[in-house]
Amino acid sequence: MRYEDTDPRAQLRAAGLRVTAPRIAVLETVADHPHSDAHQVASRVRDRIGSVSTQAVYDVLEACTGAGLLRRIEPAGSPARFETRTGDNHHHLVCRTCGLVVDVDCTVGEAPCLAPSDSHGFTVDEAEVVFWGLCAQCRDNTPG
């Protein structure tokens, strides 16, 4: 489900979730800092609204992910990260050195963008692809 409205209050209401200060702060934080992990989100939420427990932030991330307001991605070897870009089956580029994550539109066509060689009876509706490499800054700073 994709919510086109960027107002967190409207998004929460449309998803059937109560509008609370921590939920608004989490949605605004993730919108401003896509691909943040839970600890980064919690720190930035505290900067916005003051005292809030890490567990409360985890609970909000889980509720918003479950409602389709946030997407959770888990690049291998790094903590789960969150973004507001949902429902379009886009992919990601991850820098092996600094961990920078950037969005990449669907590789070919419409979701699921890729088809398995054998679906084993599954109805495939999404493909998750992570491209790994070096971002421009890390590449330029690599000797050799």
Side-chain angles (χ1 to χ4, degrees):
M1 186 176 286
R2 187 173 178 89
Y3 293 89
E4 297 300 330
D5 194 331
T6 58
D7 174 41
R9 290 164 188 80
Q11 291 175 327
L12 290 163
R13 285 187 198 102
L17 296 175
R18 277 186 326 117
V19 176
T20 65
R23 287 179 175 167
I24 293 166
V26 165
L27 289 175
E28 289 175 343
T29 295
V30 175
D32 292 346
H33 303 279
H35 310 123
S36 294
D37 66 37
H39 291 289
Q40 293 167 327
V41 172
S43 176
R44 290 177 177 133
V45 165
R46 285 186 198 99
D47 290 343
R48 284 178 187 260
I49 64 171
S51 180
V52 63
S53 72
T54 302
Q55 186 58 52
V57 171
Y58 274 99
D59 292 346
V60 170
L61 289 168
E62 183 177 334
C64 290
T65 299
L69 298 175
L70 296 177
R71 180 178 178 195
R72 176 187 173 120
I73 62 167
E74 298 182 57
S78 72
R81 297 167 184 253
F82 298 88
E83 63 184 350
T84 57
R85 187 173 170 187
T86 63
D88 67 349
N89 196 217
H90 68 280
H91 309 300
H92 297 94
L93 285 163
V94 180
C95 179
R96 290 185 189 280
T97 301
C98 70
L100 175 69
V101 178
V102 296
D103 292 335
V104 178
D105 287 330
C106 217
T107 53
V108 177
E110 305 220 354
C113 307
L114 303 170
S117 59
D118 184 345
S119 68
H120 298 277
F122 282 68
T123 301
V124 177
D125 61 8
E126 182 177 0
E128 186 172 314
V129 176
V130 177
F131 299 94
W132 294 89
L134 295 178
C135 69
Q137 184 174 352
C138 290
R139 184 192 63 233
D140 292 345
N141 291 331
T142 302

